Amino acid sequence: MISLDASAPEQGLQPVRRFTLAEEVADQVRRAIISGQIAEGSAISEPKLAAQLAVSRVRAGSLGGA
């Protein structure tokens, strides 16, 4: 049984981090580049990316600064 004593942070429980949709899209693209699914430096088609991730083109296009 896990004790939820706030004075015992060594238990490893961390605050839950909520990701925005744009952060999730950027993270998935980043992981695809790292794994080699997307070649580093290659052009990414916004419409194709949006369709693959089931997001709007606005969200897929928000990677400009990611």
Side-chain angles (χ1 to χ4, degrees):
M1 179 174 202
I2 297 176
S3 171
L4 297 179
D5 181 1
S7 66
E10 68 277 357
Q11 293 177 357
L13 296 177
Q14 300 291 321
V16 174
R17 168 115 162 74
R18 292 184 179 179
F19 293 96
T20 65
L21 187 56
E23 288 174 316
E24 181 65 25
V25 168
D27 186 54
Q28 286 203 39
V29 170
R30 191 175 301 110
R31 287 185 302 199
I33 292 169
I34 291 169
S35 71
Q37 292 175 318
I38 297 175
E40 185 176 345
S42 67
I44 298 174
S45 164
E46 282 183 27
K48 185 176 178 182
L49 179 64
Q52 288 178 324
L53 297 178
V55 297
S56 71
R57 284 184 61 190
V58 171
R59 294 292 178 212
S62 66
L63 294 174

